[in-house]
């Protein structure tokens, strides 16, 4: 640029470069079917608004109205979108001009092409979000139904794939319904942003030709009008919210799918996927692959990538097209993938076979009731939880080495463990002995309000804040009473019981 000269201004002359067509316009026109129906509705509402305001002559309005209604009957695949013309909006303009000549020019009054695309985009997203919210609600209902069916199906819940605490399959599966419902609420919030009309916003500052932006909003069924015109045209934070919510919804499903894939293995055999959601191996005839679960897990990764890509592209200065050029196709495709995946997960959950016997057998064979036992000892003997934890932990190691189960832990295991770690400790409060069931439930036997001395000697621990001096002396003479996880006290080989 020489001194005193100006930068080039005015529209470019001549056709677009072939490289621009290949790298840009072809990609944009590939997404035209996604916005086709919305662009037709946007044109129709804009035309009716201009006609009502008297901006378009009645004759021109009638010809354009007939043409737009005719265009609405053309399937997206049959409409002459041509990348050589530029963006999809440019192909529509070419088509309208070819049909009605300069009368088509009235359709541009008071509206840039990007406004038409923004309106069409929100119309498409509004429909996609509503469908995904409905699918999320169906999945939550299905999860709740299976939880109700298996409210009494005992199993050992897991952390790090290790037995944690006794639970039920119903309790486990219901834990996934809550994040699904929260995902639905986040989608609803994104829908509120989407359901605000950008119609009449113009490029950045509206237009003096259309004073009432609410008319277009009402014609298109929007619940509100995007208040600030520049915000309506250029801010896309609402897209982040909806893709993030959709991604989170599917990530929740992926967590469930990963658990079920492990549990469907022969090593666990907790669940079996229905035939329609499984796949055979072409080589190994014994294989039954939980293929649907792989689709769910892969979809979660794909959506994480789409969300990341959207955020990366959107990191631009304001009022730029690059943060929406790719979003027109990517966001609807992300919502569609989330919809298909959610429907797939719903089918998997609905038809899942739960092997209740195998779950119960695994529970009975393990030590998941150890926490309940430690808590019972803490309450019964008045000791701190960490002490009780260490005693039970030692007993669990001994039982495991001896090939015993958690349900087999009784006084002979607890007593020596307690004396070995805490030889000087004694229990302080007598309580009724208890039976620790394999499911983790504790059943305490009844104790008379005033037990005899013999009865006190048979209790599970000695010492009481309200005991008499004679009973205290008897307790000291007996050197304490033992801890027992069974319904009756048992003593160790040397006749002592830890307290």
């Amino acid at each position: 640029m020489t001194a005193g000269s100006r930068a080039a201004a005015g529209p470019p002359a001549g056709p677009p470069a072939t490289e621009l067509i290949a790298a840009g316009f072809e990609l944009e026109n590939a997404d035209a079917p996604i916005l086709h129906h919305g662009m037709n509705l946007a044109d129709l509402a804009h035309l009716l608004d201009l006609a009502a305001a008297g901006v378009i002559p009645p004759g021109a309005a009638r010809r354009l109205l007939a043409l737009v209604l005719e265009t609405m009957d053309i399937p997206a695949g049959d409409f002459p979108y041509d990348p050589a013309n530029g963006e999809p909006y440019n192909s529509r303009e070419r088509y309208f001009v070819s049909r009605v000549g300069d009368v088509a020019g009235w359709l541009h009054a008071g509206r840039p092409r990007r406004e038409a695309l923004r309106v069409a985009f929100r119309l498409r997203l509004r429909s996609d979000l509503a469908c995904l919210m409905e699918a999320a609600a169906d999945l939550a209902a299905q999860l709740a139904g299976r939880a109700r069916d298996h409210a009494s199906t005992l199993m050992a819940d897991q952390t790090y794939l290790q037995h944690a605490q006794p639970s039920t399959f119903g309790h486990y599966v219901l834990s996934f319904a809550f994040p699904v419902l929260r995902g639905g609420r986040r989608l609803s919030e994104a829908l509120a942003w989407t359901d605000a009309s950008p119609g009449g916003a113009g490029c950045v500052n509206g237009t003096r030709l259309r004073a009432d932006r609410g008319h277009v909003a009402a014609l298109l069924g929007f619940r509100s009008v995007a208040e600030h015109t520049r915000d309506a045209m250029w801010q896309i934070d609402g897209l982040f919210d909806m893709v993030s919510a959709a991604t989170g919804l599917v990530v929740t499903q992926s967590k469930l799918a990963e658990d079920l894939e492990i549990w469907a293995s022969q090593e666990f055999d907790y669940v079996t996927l229905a035939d329609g959601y499984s796949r055979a191996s072409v080589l190994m005839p014994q294989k039954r692959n939980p293929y649907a679960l792989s689709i769910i897990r892969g979809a979660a990764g794909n959506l994480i990538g789409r969300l990341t890509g959207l955020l990366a592209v959107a990191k631009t200065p304001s009022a730029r097209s690059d943060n929406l050029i790719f979003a027109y196709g990517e966001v609807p495709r992300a919502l569609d993938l989330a919809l298909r995946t959610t429907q797939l997960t719903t089918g998997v959950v609905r038809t899942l076979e739960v092997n209740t016997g195998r779950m119960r057998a695994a529970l009975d064979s393990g030590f998941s009731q150890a926490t309940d036992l430690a808590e019972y000892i803490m309450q019964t003997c008045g000791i701190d939880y960490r002490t009780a934890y260490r005693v039970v932990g030692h007993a669990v190691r001994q039982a495991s080495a001896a090939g015993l189960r958690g349900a087999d832990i009784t006084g002979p295991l607890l007593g020596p463990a307690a004396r070995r770690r805490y030889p000087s400790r004694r229990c302080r409060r007598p309580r009724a002995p208890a039976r620790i069931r394999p499911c983790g439930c504790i059943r305490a036997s009844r104790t008379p309000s005033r037990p005899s001395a013999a009865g006190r000697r048979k209790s599970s621990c000695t010492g009481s804040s309200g005991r008499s001096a004679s009973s205290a002396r008897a307790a000291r003479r007996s050197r304490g009473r033992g801890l027992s996880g069974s319904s009756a006290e048992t003593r160790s080989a040397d006749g002592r019981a830890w307290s």
Side-chain angles (χ1 to χ4, degrees):
M1 182 184 300
T2 60
S5 65
R6 292 186 175 182
T18 56
E19 295 87 352
L20 177 59
I21 293 174
F25 295 147
E26 284 188 3
L27 297 178
E28 292 185 67
N29 278 269
D31 295 335
I34 295 175
L35 302 179
H36 179 73
H37 181 64
M39 285 191 288
N40 285 333
L41 293 176
D43 285 346
L44 180 60
H46 179 61
L47 177 60
L48 293 174
D49 186 47
L50 293 178
V55 175
I56 304 179
R62 285 192 295 271
R63 294 184 64 187
L64 277 173
L65 180 60
L67 177 59
V68 171
L69 291 174
E70 178 185 316
T71 304
M72 293 184 71
D73 293 331
I74 302 176
D78 295 336
F79 192 86
Y81 290 111
D82 187 352
N85 297 329
E87 300 176 33
Y89 186 91
N90 299 122
S91 289
R92 294 175 66 86
E93 181 184 10
R94 287 287 188 97
Y95 176 75
F96 291 158
V97 169
S98 71
R99 295 293 306 276
V100 296
D102 290 342
V103 172
W106 286 105
L107 198 56
H108 302 299
R111 187 188 69 169
R113 60 187 170 193
R114 65 179 54 88
E115 181 188 314
L117 292 174
R118 302 293 196 272
V119 170
F121 192 33
R122 293 205 184 200
L123 290 173
R124 172 59 188 258
L125 295 177
R126 187 173 67 179
S127 175
D128 290 347
L129 286 169
C131 291
L132 183 54
M133 289 166 58
E134 182 179 359
D138 288 344
L139 174 57
Q142 195 61 238
L143 289 166
R146 296 313 304 269
R148 182 175 57 250
D149 295 341
H150 291 279
S152 300
T153 299
L154 295 174
M155 62 171 282
D157 209 341
Q158 300 172 346
T159 59
Y160 297 94
L161 278 180
Q162 306 296 313
H163 283 198
Q165 289 182 290
S167 185
T168 67
F169 183 74
H171 184 71
Y172 163 81
V173 78
L174 189 62
S175 70
F176 291 93
F178 287 92
V180 168
L181 290 174
R182 289 192 292 271
R185 285 195 292 270
R186 287 190 286 268
L187 291 170
S188 179
E189 293 170 0
L191 179 59
W193 176 87
T194 306
D195 211 8
S197 171
C203 180
V204 293
N205 200 26
T207 174
R208 63 185 183 84
L209 298 179
R210 301 160 68 188
D212 181 15
R213 294 178 57 209
H215 186 213
V216 170
L219 289 172
L220 293 172
F222 283 106
R223 286 189 287 183
S224 63
V225 173
E227 183 177 0
H228 193 281
T229 55
R230 197 176 194 276
D231 172 64
M233 292 305 298
W234 294 107
Q235 302 300 343
I236 60 170
D237 53 294
L239 301 181
F240 307 156
D241 294 339
M242 67 182 69
V243 178
S244 176
T247 302
L249 175 64
V250 177
V251 166
T252 294
Q253 298 169 49
S254 177
K255 291 177 181 292
L256 174 61
E258 293 203 28
D259 286 353
L260 295 181
E261 184 172 304
I262 294 171
W263 290 359
S265 66
Q266 292 184 357
E267 287 72 16
F268 276 82
D269 192 29
Y270 283 4
V271 298
T272 302
L273 265 67
D275 288 350
Y277 299 93
S278 304
R279 188 178 183 182
S281 166
V282 298
L283 175 65
M284 297 164 281
Q286 83 281 6
K287 291 289 294 296
R288 181 188 181 90
N289 297 323
Y291 192 68
L293 304 180
S294 297
I295 299 297
I296 297 168
R297 294 171 56 201
N302 184 285
L303 285 168
I304 291 171
R306 289 179 185 269
L307 174 60
T308 304
L310 175 64
L311 292 169
V313 171
K315 186 181 175 298
T316 66
S318 66
R320 300 294 195 276
S321 295
D322 44 350
N323 58 10
L324 277 161
I325 288 174
F326 297 96
Y328 288 139
E330 287 300 311
V331 175
R333 277 191 284 269
L335 297 179
D336 181 65
L337 177 59
L339 172 64
R340 294 170 184 264
T341 305
T342 302
Q343 292 171 335
L344 174 61
T345 304
T346 302
V348 169
V349 172
R350 184 183 64 250
T351 59
L352 187 69
E353 178 184 340
V354 181
N355 302 330
T356 59
R358 174 63 184 141
M359 286 184 174
R360 178 58 190 263
L363 171 65
D364 289 344
S365 67
F367 298 90
S368 61
Q369 63 273 71
T371 300
D372 296 278
L373 180 56
E375 290 176 348
Y376 176 75
I377 291 174
M378 176 192 71
Q379 294 178 307
T380 301
C381 296
I383 61 176
D384 66 275
Y385 181 77
R386 186 53 58 195
T387 298
Y389 168 95
R390 288 167 178 159
V391 169
V392 173
H394 183 84
V396 166
R397 285 196 300 271
Q398 297 295 106
S400 178
L404 301 176
R405 308 167 303 161
D408 299 324
I409 295 178
T410 55
L413 282 174
L414 290 170
R419 288 194 305 276
R420 185 174 293 108
R421 294 194 64 90
Y422 305 101
S424 64
R425 297 294 296 273
R426 294 180 181 277
C427 290
R428 296 187 298 276
R429 296 186 305 163
R431 290 278 184 91
R435 177 180 178 82
I436 309 297
R437 297 175 176 176
C439 64
C441 303
I442 298 177
R443 172 183 291 174
S445 59
R446 295 183 177 180
T447 302
S449 57
R450 294 186 177 180
S452 64
R456 286 195 297 272
R457 284 194 294 272
K458 293 181 181 179
S459 64
S460 61
C461 61
T462 66
S464 172
S465 59
R467 65 187 179 182
S468 65
S470 60
S471 63
R473 286 193 297 271
R476 286 194 295 271
R477 285 195 299 272
S478 66
R479 302 183 66 183
R481 299 294 187 263
L483 291 168
S484 173
S486 64
S487 58
E489 178 186 301
T490 55
R491 288 178 172 271
S492 57
D494 60 3
R496 293 186 301 168
W498 181 79
S499 61

